[in-house]
Amino acid sequence: MPTNFTVVPVEDTPLSDPDYDGDILKEEDKEESDTVAGPYSGDETLRETSSLISTDHDDSIYGKHMALYEDEIDSTPMVSSLLNKLAHYTNVTQGVIEHEEAESEDGIQRVTVKGPQMGTFIGVFLPCMQNILGVILFLRLTWIVGTAGIMQALAVVFMCCSCTMLTAISMSAIATNGVVPAGGSYYMISRALGPEFGGAVGLCFYLGTTFAGSMYILGTMEIFLTYIQPEANVFDDQEPNGMQNNMRIYGTCCLAIMTLVVFVGVKYVNKLALIFLSCVVLSIMAIYAGVIQSAIKPPNYTICLLGNRTLKNKFDKCLKTEVIGNVTHPTELWRLFCKGDLGNETCDEYFNLNNLTEIRAVPGLLGGVISDNMWGHYGQVEKIVEKKEQSSEQASATNDVLKSYVINDIATYFTLLVGIYFPSVTGIMAGSNRSGDLRDPQRSIPSGTILAIVTTSFIYISCVVLFGACIEGVVLRDKYGDSVKKTLVVSTLAWPSPWLIVIGSFFSCCGAGLQSLTGAPRILQAIARDGIMPFLQVFGHSKANGEPTWALLLTAVICEIGILIGSLDEVAPILSMFFLMCYLFVNLACAVQTLLRTPNWRPRFKFYHWSLSFLGMSLSLSLMFVSSWYYALFVILIAGCIYKYIEYRGAEKEWGDGIRGLSLNAARYALIKLEEAPPHTKNWRPQLLVLLKLDSELGVKHPRLLSFTSQLKAGKGLTIVCSVLEGTYMAREADAKLSEKNIKAAMAKDKTKGFCHVVVSSNQRDGFSHLIQSAGLGGMKHNAVLVAWPTNWKQSESSLSWKNFIETIRETTAAHQALLVAKNIDTFPTNQDRLAEGTIDVWWIVHDGGLLMLLPFLLRQHKVWRKCKMRIFTVAQMDDNSIQMKKDLQMFLYHLRLDAKVEVVEMHAGDISAFTYEKTLVMEQRSQMLKQMQLSKTEREREPQLIHYKNTKAHASQNDKPTPTPTSDRVHMTWTKEKLISERNRLREANMTVRDIFNMKPDQTNVRRMHTAVKLNEVVVNKSQGAQLVLLNMPGPPKNNCGDENYMEFLEVLTEGLERVLLVRGGGREVITIYS
C-alpha cells in the first residue's frame, strides 16, 4: 500500500530544544480499502517505522513491476537504489550530517528521514579512494619516476604501500573489536594504548590532517597559477622566491574561502563530494586511455634540446635561424642566447658548439624509452636537466642563459622522494572514521579499506611503469612542464584532452582540501571533549548545530603556517611524519593487544598477526627516518612532550587500554621474579607501611606523617598507607570508602605516591596486626612500619592506645620488620617548608643493620632537608677507647660514602641519683594505682552482669518446669593454668591497700633502666637540643606484659626536651653495605 509521510510542526514545543524529540510522522492513509496485513497507524513512533522508511526496496512496488528480479533484490540493489546512494554519497567524517539543520524555503525545520546506512563500496571504498588518490599522483609522480627511475620509483611505491597495507590490517583488527565512534584513529589508539599515547598520537594525526589541507591548497594553487591562469601571478616566476610568494598570497585567499565554506555549513562540502570523486576517476581513466592512444598515435608534444640540454619552450620554432624570402632571420630562440645583430652577434659558447634537436615529448608505449627511464637521474640544485644519450660539446653556461634551460629547483635524492611521495598513500582511515554510518562496520571497514589500498597500489604501480614507458625522461624530470609550454606533464599523456586532467586534478585538490578542513577540527574536538588535555577544553565547544567553530579557527591558523612555507615539496615530508607516527602507533596498539591476549580482544577480522603489526611498526619508523631524520626527531619530541603533559596534568582515564594490561603483565612478572629470592642489601630500600589514625570525621589525624613519608621516599620504595575502623564491614562499608577517599586526597595533597587501604576490624589491635602480616603482595611487601607516637597517652582514660602501640612494636619485631616512630609528628616540616640550616643528629647506641645511618641520607635527598648537615653520635663506656672509636667510625662512614660529622660521647658510670630513684618510685606507684583503678572499673562492670544473671535464673525457675539446678550462684568455668595464675595475681593486686602502695620499694631493674634513660637523655639534650631531627635507637619492649606502662615511661624520659624525634628499631638484617 503506498504510504505518504508528512512532517508537521508542533506549535507549543520549541524546536530548538536539543532534548526535544520532535520527529513526528503523520501517516495519511488515502486508500483505506487497500489496507494490507500489519498496517502502520499514525500513532507509531519514528523508531517503530524507521525500518520501513529505510528499506532499500518496497515490496508493494517492486513486487508488482519487478517480480522477475525479486530473488536478486535481496542481495543486489536496484539501479534506482544504487543511484540514490551515489547521490547521497559523502566523504565527511562521522557526525557531520546529523549536525546540519534541514531547513525548507519557508524557514520551518523539517525532519530529515534517515536513509539506508551505507555499505562497503559507498561507505568505505570510495572515501578511501578519494583520500588516497590526489595531488601527488597528478603533480609529482611523473617527476618521481623521472628522477628515481622506474625501479627505484617502484621501490618507493612498494615501501609506502606496504606500510599502509600492514597498518590497514592492524586497523581492521582494532576497528572490528567493537564500535569505533567519532574520532577514528584517535579513538582506536587512545582506547587501545591509553590516554597518554592516544592524546599524543591523536594530536599528531590532527596536525597531519591539517598540514594535508595545506598541501592540497598549495597543490590547487600550483595547478591554477602554473597551468590554468599563469597571467594571475603577482610576482615573476623568474625572481627568487617569486613562485613561493605567489603561492602564499593565493593560498591564503583560498584557505579563507574554504574555511568560510566549512564554517557556513558542511552540507555544501557533502554535496560536492561526489563531484570531486568523479573528477579523480575521470582523470585516471583519461591517463589509461591516453596510454592506449599513445601506442596507436603518439601525442604531438615536442621538446627542444640544445645539445643534450633541455630548453624551456618559450618559442615557436626549435631553430637558431630561419629563412624568410631568401633572407636569414634570427629566431626567438636565437635571441635568448645571442646579443647584437645577426653577423655581429655575441652568442653563448655552448649555443655555438651544439645543434638543436626536436624530439617527441611522449614517444608512446611503443617508443622504446622505457630502457632510458629504468634508472635514476639525481642531481644537485640548479643542475640542468640533460638527456644523457644525446651527444653534445661541453661548455659552461652563464647565469644569463641558465634561465632558458630546464633546471632542478631542489637537490634530489632517494630519501627526499620517499617523503614527498608518502602523502599519496595516506587516507586509509577514511572508512574507520565513518563507522557509525555503515550498515556493517565489522565487515565493511576491513574489506573496503584493504580493497581500496590494493586498487590504489595497482594504480600507482601501473602509472609508474606506464609513465616510464611512454614519456621522455627529460620531460618526466621537468617538474613544472616548462619544456612542453607549461603543460602539466601527466596531462600530455591524457586522452581526449589534457584539460581533462588539469581541471580534474584542480577540483580533486580543492575537494581534498575541504575534506581536511572538515575532518581535522572534529579530530581536535574529539580530543578536547575527552578532557585529557586541559588547555584544549575551549576547542571542545561548538555551535548550536554541532560545528566545532574554535577548532576550525585553530585548524585554519595551523594550515596557514603550512601555506606560508610556500612549497608543496617542503610541506609533504612534514605531514608524512605525522601520519607515519599515527600508523606506527596503530600497529603498536594491535601488536600489544594481540600479545597480551586480553579477554576483550576479540576482533572479527581474523587475518592479522602480531608479527605483521611489528613489521608495520618497524617500517613506519624506518620511513620516518629515511624521509627526514630531523623531522622525525622533531615529531617524536612533540609526541613525547604531549605524552608527559597528559601524564602529569591530564585527567585520569580508565579506558581498559593495552598499556594498562601491559603494566599488569609486567607487574605480575616482576612480582614473581621478586618472590624467587630476598632482595640483596644493595637493593634494600624502605618499603613503608604507614599506620594512620583517623579523627571523628574520618579525616587524617596527623597529615604530616604523610609529608614525612614522601620525604623518606628518596629510595623510591613501596608505600602502603593504611588505617583501621572498628566495627563490621557490612555496617561501616560507606565509612571505609569515605576514609579511603579522604586518605587519598591527603596523599595527593602531600604528593605521597603509594597505595591506600582501609580495613574494618572488630578492634584496632587486630586490624593493625592483620595489616602488618598481610599488606603487600608477593615480593612487594613492606619491610618497615611508620607510626606516630601516641600523644597524651598518660591523660587518656583508656589504655588501649598505648597498649596497641606496644603490641605493634612486638609484632613488627616478630615479623622482622623495621619500625619508625615519629614523636611530636605535628611539629615535623611539611613538603612546602625549606629548612635553611641545622643538623640531623643520629644517636647510634646499638647496631641494628645500619638503618639509623641510611635514613638521614634518604631524607637529605629531599629538598626539605637538603641543607641540613648529618652528625653521628655514639656512646663510649669506661672500657672503650673513644679516640680509636672515632677513627674507626669515620673510616666506616667513608666506606659507606656518607658525609657526616662524627662525635663520640663518653658516659661515665656514676651512682644512681636520688632523682632517678624517686622518678622510678613515682612511675611504679602510678602504675599500681592505675591497675587498682582498672580493677575497680572492671568490678563495677561485672556487678550488673551478675545481677542480670541472677534475675534471669530466678525468672526461668518460676516459668519453666522444675529441673535439677545448681544450688550455688557460682559460674562454672574451665580454668587453664595461665588463667589461674593471672586470676591469683589479680586478687593479690586487688587486696593491696593504698598504704601498701606508698610503702612499696621500686624494682632494681626499673631503677637501672630509668638511670640509663635519664643519663642518656641528658647527653642527647646537651648535644642535640637545637637539631632539626634526632634519630635514636628504640629500646625493645618487655617480653611480658607486666612492665608495659613502665616501658612507655622510659621512652618518654629518653626523648624528653627534644622537639622532633624519630625512634628507629631495625628489622634484624643489614640494610647498608660498604661494597659496590
PDB file of all heavy atoms in Angstrom, residues 1043-1068:
ATOM      1  N   GLY A1043      55.374  -5.003  82.425  1.00  0.00           N
ATOM      2  CA  GLY A1043      56.035  -3.707  82.507  1.00  0.00           C
ATOM      3  C   GLY A1043      55.745  -2.786  81.350  1.00  0.00           C
ATOM      4  O   GLY A1043      56.574  -1.924  81.024  1.00  0.00           O
ATOM      5  N   ASP A1044      54.587  -2.906  80.693  1.00  0.00           N
ATOM      6  CA  ASP A1044      54.286  -2.083  79.526  1.00  0.00           C
ATOM      7  C   ASP A1044      54.199  -0.605  79.876  1.00  0.00           C
ATOM      8  O   ASP A1044      54.696   0.251  79.151  1.00  0.00           O
ATOM      9  CB  ASP A1044      52.984  -2.537  78.881  1.00  0.00           C
ATOM     10  CG  ASP A1044      53.149  -3.858  78.142  1.00  0.00           C
ATOM     11  OD1 ASP A1044      54.302  -4.330  78.041  1.00  0.00           O
ATOM     12  OD2 ASP A1044      52.151  -4.408  77.655  1.00  0.00           O
ATOM     13  N   GLU A1045      53.541  -0.303  81.041  1.00  0.00           N
ATOM     14  CA  GLU A1045      53.407   1.107  81.419  1.00  0.00           C
ATOM     15  C   GLU A1045      54.779   1.716  81.704  1.00  0.00           C
ATOM     16  O   GLU A1045      55.058   2.862  81.332  1.00  0.00           O
ATOM     17  CB  GLU A1045      52.517   1.255  82.651  1.00  0.00           C
ATOM     18  CG  GLU A1045      51.156   0.604  82.520  1.00  0.00           C
ATOM     19  CD  GLU A1045      51.134  -0.805  83.084  1.00  0.00           C
ATOM     20  OE1 GLU A1045      52.113  -1.554  82.894  1.00  0.00           O
ATOM     21  OE2 GLU A1045      50.155  -1.144  83.742  1.00  0.00           O
ATOM     22  N   ASN A1046      55.654   0.949  82.349  1.00  0.00           N
ATOM     23  CA  ASN A1046      56.993   1.438  82.642  1.00  0.00           C
ATOM     24  C   ASN A1046      57.789   1.678  81.352  1.00  0.00           C
ATOM     25  O   ASN A1046      58.576   2.625  81.267  1.00  0.00           O
ATOM     26  CB  ASN A1046      57.746   0.443  83.527  1.00  0.00           C
ATOM     27  CG  ASN A1046      57.014   0.198  84.841  1.00  0.00           C
ATOM     28  OD1 ASN A1046      56.223   1.025  85.286  1.00  0.00           O
ATOM     29  ND2 ASN A1046      57.269  -0.952  85.464  1.00  0.00           N
ATOM     30  N   TYR A1047      57.588   0.825  80.348  1.00  0.00           N
ATOM     31  CA  TYR A1047      58.290   0.967  79.078  1.00  0.00           C
ATOM     32  C   TYR A1047      57.940   2.290  78.397  1.00  0.00           C
ATOM     33  O   TYR A1047      58.815   2.997  77.886  1.00  0.00           O
ATOM     34  CB  TYR A1047      57.934  -0.217  78.172  1.00  0.00           C
ATOM     35  CG  TYR A1047      58.507  -0.127  76.777  1.00  0.00           C
ATOM     36  CD1 TYR A1047      59.870  -0.285  76.539  1.00  0.00           C
ATOM     37  CD2 TYR A1047      57.669   0.104  75.692  1.00  0.00           C
ATOM     38  CE1 TYR A1047      60.395  -0.209  75.264  1.00  0.00           C
ATOM     39  CE2 TYR A1047      58.183   0.184  74.407  1.00  0.00           C
ATOM     40  CZ  TYR A1047      59.546   0.029  74.201  1.00  0.00           C
ATOM     41  OH  TYR A1047      60.057   0.108  72.938  1.00  0.00           O
ATOM     42  N   MET A1048      56.672   2.632  78.444  1.00  0.00           N
ATOM     43  CA  MET A1048      56.255   3.908  77.864  1.00  0.00           C
ATOM     44  C   MET A1048      56.896   5.071  78.613  1.00  0.00           C
ATOM     45  O   MET A1048      57.304   6.069  78.007  1.00  0.00           O
ATOM     46  CB  MET A1048      54.726   4.035  77.889  1.00  0.00           C
ATOM     47  CG  MET A1048      53.988   3.037  77.010  1.00  0.00           C
ATOM     48  SD  MET A1048      54.311   3.284  75.255  1.00  0.00           S
ATOM     49  CE  MET A1048      53.515   4.859  74.998  1.00  0.00           C
ATOM     50  N   GLU A1049      57.002   4.927  79.922  1.00  0.00           N
ATOM     51  CA  GLU A1049      57.609   5.990  80.722  1.00  0.00           C
ATOM     52  C   GLU A1049      59.096   6.122  80.404  1.00  0.00           C
ATOM     53  O   GLU A1049      59.626   7.235  80.316  1.00  0.00           O
ATOM     54  CB  GLU A1049      57.410   5.690  82.203  1.00  0.00           C
ATOM     55  CG  GLU A1049      57.814   6.822  83.123  1.00  0.00           C
ATOM     56  CD  GLU A1049      56.891   8.017  83.009  1.00  0.00           C
ATOM     57  OE1 GLU A1049      55.681   7.832  82.794  1.00  0.00           O
ATOM     58  OE2 GLU A1049      57.404   9.149  83.089  1.00  0.00           O
ATOM     59  N   PHE A1050      59.778   4.988  80.206  1.00  0.00           N
ATOM     60  CA  PHE A1050      61.197   5.033  79.844  1.00  0.00           C
ATOM     61  C   PHE A1050      61.396   5.810  78.536  1.00  0.00           C
ATOM     62  O   PHE A1050      62.312   6.631  78.404  1.00  0.00           O
ATOM     63  CB  PHE A1050      61.770   3.622  79.685  1.00  0.00           C
ATOM     64  CG  PHE A1050      61.806   2.839  80.972  1.00  0.00           C
ATOM     65  CD1 PHE A1050      61.634   1.458  80.980  1.00  0.00           C
ATOM     66  CD2 PHE A1050      62.025   3.485  82.182  1.00  0.00           C
ATOM     67  CE1 PHE A1050      61.673   0.744  82.155  1.00  0.00           C
ATOM     68  CE2 PHE A1050      62.062   2.760  83.364  1.00  0.00           C
ATOM     69  CZ  PHE A1050      61.882   1.387  83.361  1.00  0.00           C
ATOM     70  N   LEU A1051      60.548   5.542  77.541  1.00  0.00           N
ATOM     71  CA  LEU A1051      60.669   6.234  76.256  1.00  0.00           C
ATOM     72  C   LEU A1051      60.387   7.722  76.388  1.00  0.00           C
ATOM     73  O   LEU A1051      61.019   8.547  75.713  1.00  0.00           O
ATOM     74  CB  LEU A1051      59.716   5.609  75.229  1.00  0.00           C
ATOM     75  CG  LEU A1051      60.009   4.151  74.831  1.00  0.00           C
ATOM     76  CD1 LEU A1051      59.008   3.665  73.807  1.00  0.00           C
ATOM     77  CD2 LEU A1051      61.426   4.014  74.281  1.00  0.00           C
ATOM     78  N   GLU A1052      59.430   8.065  77.270  1.00  0.00           N
ATOM     79  CA  GLU A1052      59.142   9.492  77.491  1.00  0.00           C
ATOM     80  C   GLU A1052      60.350  10.197  78.100  1.00  0.00           C
ATOM     81  O   GLU A1052      60.725  11.297  77.699  1.00  0.00           O
ATOM     82  CB  GLU A1052      57.923   9.635  78.412  1.00  0.00           C
ATOM     83  CG  GLU A1052      56.583   9.456  77.736  1.00  0.00           C
ATOM     84  CD  GLU A1052      56.180  10.668  76.912  1.00  0.00           C
ATOM     85  OE1 GLU A1052      56.973  11.628  76.816  1.00  0.00           O
ATOM     86  OE2 GLU A1052      55.079  10.657  76.338  1.00  0.00           O
ATOM     87  N   VAL A1053      60.952   9.552  79.092  1.00  0.00           N
ATOM     88  CA  VAL A1053      62.120  10.154  79.738  1.00  0.00           C
ATOM     89  C   VAL A1053      63.280  10.260  78.754  1.00  0.00           C
ATOM     90  O   VAL A1053      64.014  11.251  78.714  1.00  0.00           O
ATOM     91  CB  VAL A1053      62.526   9.324  80.975  1.00  0.00           C
ATOM     92  CG1 VAL A1053      63.839   9.820  81.564  1.00  0.00           C
ATOM     93  CG2 VAL A1053      61.427   9.384  82.023  1.00  0.00           C
ATOM     94  N   LEU A1054      63.454   9.245  77.903  1.00  0.00           N
ATOM     95  CA  LEU A1054      64.554   9.220  76.952  1.00  0.00           C
ATOM     96  C   LEU A1054      64.468  10.363  75.949  1.00  0.00           C
ATOM     97  O   LEU A1054      65.491  10.910  75.521  1.00  0.00           O
ATOM     98  CB  LEU A1054      64.568   7.867  76.219  1.00  0.00           C
ATOM     99  CG  LEU A1054      65.672   7.637  75.196  1.00  0.00           C
ATOM    100  CD1 LEU A1054      67.040   7.666  75.859  1.00  0.00           C
ATOM    101  CD2 LEU A1054      65.457   6.317  74.477  1.00  0.00           C
ATOM    102  N   THR A1055      63.252  10.734  75.544  1.00  0.00           N
ATOM    103  CA  THR A1055      63.070  11.755  74.497  1.00  0.00           C
ATOM    104  C   THR A1055      62.598  13.088  75.041  1.00  0.00           C
ATOM    105  O   THR A1055      62.211  13.966  74.258  1.00  0.00           O
ATOM    106  CB  THR A1055      62.053  11.244  73.460  1.00  0.00           C
ATOM    107  OG1 THR A1055      60.808  10.947  74.133  1.00  0.00           O
ATOM    108  CG2 THR A1055      62.555   9.989  72.777  1.00  0.00           C
ATOM    109  N   GLU A1056      62.631  13.262  76.339  1.00  0.00           N
ATOM    110  CA  GLU A1056      62.129  14.494  76.941  1.00  0.00           C
ATOM    111  C   GLU A1056      63.037  15.674  76.554  1.00  0.00           C
ATOM    112  O   GLU A1056      64.259  15.573  76.540  1.00  0.00           O
ATOM    113  CB  GLU A1056      62.091  14.342  78.463  1.00  0.00           C
ATOM    114  CG  GLU A1056      61.405  15.492  79.185  1.00  0.00           C
ATOM    115  CD  GLU A1056      61.312  15.253  80.679  1.00  0.00           C
ATOM    116  OE1 GLU A1056      61.802  14.203  81.144  1.00  0.00           O
ATOM    117  OE2 GLU A1056      60.758  16.109  81.381  1.00  0.00           O
ATOM    118  N   GLY A1057      62.407  16.810  76.219  1.00  0.00           N
ATOM    119  CA  GLY A1057      63.153  18.015  75.891  1.00  0.00           C
ATOM    120  C   GLY A1057      63.610  18.103  74.455  1.00  0.00           C
ATOM    121  O   GLY A1057      64.337  19.034  74.091  1.00  0.00           O
ATOM    122  N   LEU A1058      63.219  17.167  73.588  1.00  0.00           N
ATOM    123  CA  LEU A1058      63.597  17.178  72.171  1.00  0.00           C
ATOM    124  C   LEU A1058      62.371  17.505  71.321  1.00  0.00           C
ATOM    125  O   LEU A1058      61.286  16.987  71.572  1.00  0.00           O
ATOM    126  CB  LEU A1058      64.172  15.818  71.753  1.00  0.00           C
ATOM    127  CG  LEU A1058      65.440  15.376  72.501  1.00  0.00           C
ATOM    128  CD1 LEU A1058      65.820  13.953  72.088  1.00  0.00           C
ATOM    129  CD2 LEU A1058      66.590  16.334  72.233  1.00  0.00           C
ATOM    130  N   GLU A1059      62.583  18.365  70.301  1.00  0.00           N
ATOM    131  CA  GLU A1059      61.429  18.834  69.511  1.00  0.00           C
ATOM    132  C   GLU A1059      60.927  17.768  68.552  1.00  0.00           C
ATOM    133  O   GLU A1059      59.751  17.431  68.540  1.00  0.00           O
ATOM    134  CB  GLU A1059      61.821  20.087  68.737  1.00  0.00           C
ATOM    135  CG  GLU A1059      60.665  20.673  67.927  1.00  0.00           C
ATOM    136  CD  GLU A1059      61.079  21.887  67.132  1.00  0.00           C
ATOM    137  OE1 GLU A1059      62.275  22.226  67.145  1.00  0.00           O
ATOM    138  OE2 GLU A1059      60.201  22.503  66.489  1.00  0.00           O
ATOM    139  N   ARG A1060      61.832  17.249  67.716  1.00  0.00           N
ATOM    140  CA  ARG A1060      61.447  16.229  66.741  1.00  0.00           C
ATOM    141  C   ARG A1060      62.326  15.010  66.948  1.00  0.00           C
ATOM    142  O   ARG A1060      63.555  15.108  66.891  1.00  0.00           O
ATOM    143  CB  ARG A1060      61.622  16.729  65.303  1.00  0.00           C
ATOM    144  CG  ARG A1060      60.843  17.993  64.964  1.00  0.00           C
ATOM    145  CD  ARG A1060      60.958  18.283  63.481  1.00  0.00           C
ATOM    146  NE  ARG A1060      60.427  19.598  63.147  1.00  0.00           N
ATOM    147  CZ  ARG A1060      61.158  20.646  62.799  1.00  0.00           C
ATOM    148  NH1 ARG A1060      62.480  20.513  62.742  1.00  0.00           N
ATOM    149  NH2 ARG A1060      60.603  21.806  62.515  1.00  0.00           N
ATOM    150  N   VAL A1061      61.692  13.878  67.142  1.00  0.00           N
ATOM    151  CA  VAL A1061      62.426  12.648  67.417  1.00  0.00           C
ATOM    152  C   VAL A1061      61.880  11.550  66.520  1.00  0.00           C
ATOM    153  O   VAL A1061      60.663  11.434  66.335  1.00  0.00           O
ATOM    154  CB  VAL A1061      62.310  12.232  68.889  1.00  0.00           C
ATOM    155  CG1 VAL A1061      63.123  10.959  69.146  1.00  0.00           C
ATOM    156  CG2 VAL A1061      62.774  13.339  69.807  1.00  0.00           C
ATOM    157  N   LEU A1062      62.777  10.764  65.963  1.00  0.00           N
ATOM    158  CA  LEU A1062      62.407   9.570  65.220  1.00  0.00           C
ATOM    159  C   LEU A1062      63.069   8.377  65.889  1.00  0.00           C
ATOM    160  O   LEU A1062      64.290   8.227  65.849  1.00  0.00           O
ATOM    161  CB  LEU A1062      62.848   9.668  63.756  1.00  0.00           C
ATOM    162  CG  LEU A1062      62.404   8.510  62.849  1.00  0.00           C
ATOM    163  CD1 LEU A1062      60.889   8.491  62.712  1.00  0.00           C
ATOM    164  CD2 LEU A1062      63.055   8.601  61.478  1.00  0.00           C
ATOM    165  N   LEU A1063      62.247   7.575  66.552  1.00  0.00           N
ATOM    166  CA  LEU A1063      62.744   6.361  67.204  1.00  0.00           C
ATOM    167  C   LEU A1063      62.792   5.249  66.163  1.00  0.00           C
ATOM    168  O   LEU A1063      61.806   5.006  65.456  1.00  0.00           O
ATOM    169  CB  LEU A1063      61.834   5.969  68.361  1.00  0.00           C
ATOM    170  CG  LEU A1063      61.771   6.971  69.524  1.00  0.00           C
ATOM    171  CD1 LEU A1063      60.688   6.568  70.516  1.00  0.00           C
ATOM    172  CD2 LEU A1063      63.110   7.073  70.223  1.00  0.00           C
ATOM    173  N   VAL A1064      63.929   4.597  66.063  1.00  0.00           N
ATOM    174  CA  VAL A1064      64.158   3.619  64.996  1.00  0.00           C
ATOM    175  C   VAL A1064      64.497   2.272  65.622  1.00  0.00           C
ATOM    176  O   VAL A1064      65.363   2.185  66.505  1.00  0.00           O
ATOM    177  CB  VAL A1064      65.298   4.073  64.060  1.00  0.00           C
ATOM    178  CG1 VAL A1064      65.507   3.053  62.945  1.00  0.00           C
ATOM    179  CG2 VAL A1064      65.015   5.448  63.485  1.00  0.00           C
ATOM    180  N   ARG A1065      63.812   1.265  65.119  1.00  0.00           N
ATOM    181  CA  ARG A1065      64.099  -0.112  65.551  1.00  0.00           C
ATOM    182  C   ARG A1065      64.307  -0.947  64.300  1.00  0.00           C
ATOM    183  O   ARG A1065      63.437  -1.026  63.434  1.00  0.00           O
ATOM    184  CB  ARG A1065      62.958  -0.657  66.395  1.00  0.00           C
ATOM    185  CG  ARG A1065      63.238  -2.027  66.975  1.00  0.00           C
ATOM    186  CD  ARG A1065      62.263  -2.358  68.087  1.00  0.00           C
ATOM    187  NE  ARG A1065      62.471  -3.693  68.594  1.00  0.00           N
ATOM    188  CZ  ARG A1065      63.417  -4.055  69.443  1.00  0.00           C
ATOM    189  NH1 ARG A1065      64.257  -3.123  69.877  1.00  0.00           N
ATOM    190  NH2 ARG A1065      63.543  -5.284  69.860  1.00  0.00           N
ATOM    191  N   GLY A1066      65.481  -1.547  64.162  1.00  0.00           N
ATOM    192  CA  GLY A1066      65.821  -2.298  62.958  1.00  0.00           C
ATOM    193  C   GLY A1066      65.042  -3.585  62.835  1.00  0.00           C
ATOM    194  O   GLY A1066      64.431  -4.085  63.792  1.00  0.00           O
ATOM    195  N   GLY A1067      65.087  -4.126  61.617  1.00  0.00           N
ATOM    196  CA  GLY A1067      64.343  -5.350  61.336  1.00  0.00           C
ATOM    197  C   GLY A1067      65.169  -6.605  61.448  1.00  0.00           C
ATOM    198  O   GLY A1067      64.692  -7.684  61.097  1.00  0.00           O
ATOM    199  N   GLY A1068      66.427  -6.483  61.906  1.00  0.00           N
ATOM    200  CA  GLY A1068      67.234  -7.681  62.103  1.00  0.00           C
ATOM    201  C   GLY A1068      68.063  -8.072  60.906  1.00  0.00           C
ATOM    202  O   GLY A1068      68.610  -9.173  60.867  1.00  0.00           O
TER     203      GLY A1068
END
